[in-house]
Amino acid sequence: MPAQQPAVSVIMPVLDEERHLRDSVRHILGQEYGGEMEVVIALGPSTDRTDEIAAELVREDPRVVTVPNPTGRTPAALNAAIQASRHPIVVRVDGHGMLSPNYIATAVRLLEETGAQNVGGIMHAEGENAWEDAVAAAMTSRIGVGNAAFHTGGKAGPADTVYLGVFRREALEAAGGYNVEFIRAQDWELNFRIREAGGLIWFSPELKVQYRPRPSVRALAKQYKDYGRWRHVVARYHAGSINLRYLAPPAAVCAIAAGVVLGAAVTPWAFVVPAGYLAAIAVGSVPAGKGLSPKARLRIPVALATMHLCWGYGFLTSPRSLAAKVIASRRPSVRRDPAGL
């Protein structure tokens, strides 16, 4: 008789997810996995029908429970869900992420085979309309995100970070959980601490999560501005955690801004810099848009420019006060008391 697979806790930080929450939970409960499972949904102060849908899910399946997250912040939600969960394997899923059918079984196998503290795979962006298809194409192309394996794929092996993650509970507890001051980049920051303590983070293309992109230019711009802003905080908080890939967007913003200013005030030749950038993303969008509708292909350069420039702007304008606040904070422990409460 085969050994019983370990029990897993799936944790979900949720805020304003009425569009995708039910489908996301369906993909979790429908996993091809033989071990015990629970789903802990941490509910932020949503302004749509998210809470109502979550309550329906709890009534429909005893494996689903909810916990409050009054702050609405993702790391606080994750810590609350970890504290409320019970099992030795902790699977992070977002309210707009759709797990592939054997995601959990594959992740548990990889934890055992590699000895890693956290394993993760590909953030497989898929849209539901022309704009979202364009963003998905940009997010899975090298011209959009560089050589980030969890976006573009690659060989299995050690990684700096992975998308979402499937953790050993003891690794999360030893790290003290997520730092609640990191509104964004909390995954990267946690994985950095796990690696600093000698732990292994493992990427595998076998693991795939469907991701629904932001539905508008404005939402995408805010997302990437926040990414850049908080990635700079990580760089200040953890010396040596930056690399050239992260410096490319702010460098592009500076070069384009200088080209526009010099072109208007000194010489028209300076406009070659912003013009060259526009030409580059136009050319790069052609292979990225292969197989998409004409409407989606036309929107890819807009998505690329939004991602690059907003990430770079966020990085450049990230205030030092954010890092000071993070450094002054104390991470709450996710360890439970002896009674398991």
Side-chain angles (χ1 to χ4, degrees):
M1 178 180 293
Q4 177 69 33
Q5 292 179 293
V8 301
S9 298
V10 181
I11 59 172
M12 301 183 70
V14 169
L15 180 69
D16 292 331
E17 289 287 1
E18 68 173 1
R19 183 180 172 191
H20 299 301
L21 179 58
R22 177 171 288 278
D23 202 22
S24 181
V25 172
R26 178 177 64 81
H27 279 76
I28 296 168
L29 298 178
Q31 286 287 296
E32 298 170 359
Y33 188 69
E36 184 180 351
M37 181 190 302
E38 65 177 353
V39 181
V40 183
I41 304 174
L43 293 171
S46 296
T47 58
D48 59 10
R49 294 184 59 252
T50 295
D51 286 11
E52 180 182 338
I53 294 169
E56 293 172 357
L57 292 168
V58 170
R59 290 194 296 269
E60 293 165 5
D61 196 304
R63 292 174 292 177
V64 182
V65 298
T66 61
V67 294
N69 173 37
T71 71
R73 290 185 171 189
T74 299
L78 291 166
N79 284 348
I82 293 168
Q83 287 179 316
S85 65
R86 300 174 290 125
H87 298 319
I89 306 297
V90 179
V91 182
R92 177 184 171 177
V93 183
D94 285 342
H96 46 272
M98 314 295 162
L99 300 185
S100 53
N102 63 348
Y103 180 89
I104 292 177
T106 302
V108 170
R109 172 177 59 80
L110 289 170
L111 284 173
E112 178 64 26
E113 290 177 353
T114 65
Q117 278 64 51
N118 180 21
V119 300
I122 296 174
M123 177 181 176
H124 185 65
E126 290 187 359
E128 296 180 325
N129 54 50
W131 165 250
E132 291 179 4
D133 285 342
V135 177
M139 293 179 71
T140 54
S141 67
R142 290 191 178 275
I143 191 173
V145 295
N147 62 349
F150 69 86
H151 281 296
T152 61
K155 294 182 180 179
D160 289 343
T161 191
V162 290
Y163 180 54
L164 300 179
V166 177
F167 299 83
R168 299 178 188 272
R169 177 178 293 276
E170 62 262 29
L172 286 173
E173 293 183 344
Y178 290 85
N179 190 319
V180 295
E181 295 299 334
F182 280 90
I183 298 174
R184 294 282 189 181
Q186 66 273 159
D187 295 299
W188 207 104
E189 194 275 336
L190 172 61
N191 285 319
F192 183 89
R193 285 189 280 118
I194 291 174
R195 288 188 291 110
E196 285 287 283
L200 174 65
I201 310 299
W202 188 265
F203 166 81
S204 173
E206 293 183 74
L207 299 172
K208 183 181 290 187
V209 181
Q210 291 181 12
Y211 169 86
R212 300 296 188 232
R214 295 297 193 269
S216 67
V217 175
R218 181 177 181 179
L220 183 68
K222 184 181 185 304
Q223 178 187 20
Y224 271 78
K225 183 191 76 173
D226 287 346
Y227 281 168
R229 186 185 201 195
W230 284 95
R231 188 61 189 82
H232 202 167
V233 175
V234 174
R236 290 177 178 137
Y237 188 55
H238 294 299
S241 65
I242 201 70
N243 60 43
L244 291 177
R245 180 168 68 88
Y246 295 113
L247 296 177
V253 170
C254 291
I256 291 168
V260 170
V261 172
L262 291 175
V266 180
T267 172
W269 285 104
F271 283 119
V272 72
V273 176
Y277 171 76
L278 293 176
I281 61 173
V283 171
S285 70
V286 174
K290 186 178 180 180
L292 297 183
S293 69
K295 286 185 177 180
R297 290 200 298 269
L298 288 172
R299 288 164 171 77
I300 294 175
V302 178
L304 287 170
T306 302
M307 290 162 55
H308 294 162
L309 301 183
C310 291
W311 201 104
Y313 175 79
F315 188 93
L316 291 168
T317 59
S318 179
R320 288 190 172 275
S321 59
L322 283 178
K325 184 177 181 182
V326 168
I327 292 170
S329 70
R330 295 184 64 186
R331 292 186 298 275
S333 174
V334 296
R335 295 182 178 87
R336 297 189 299 261
D337 64 31
L341 300 178

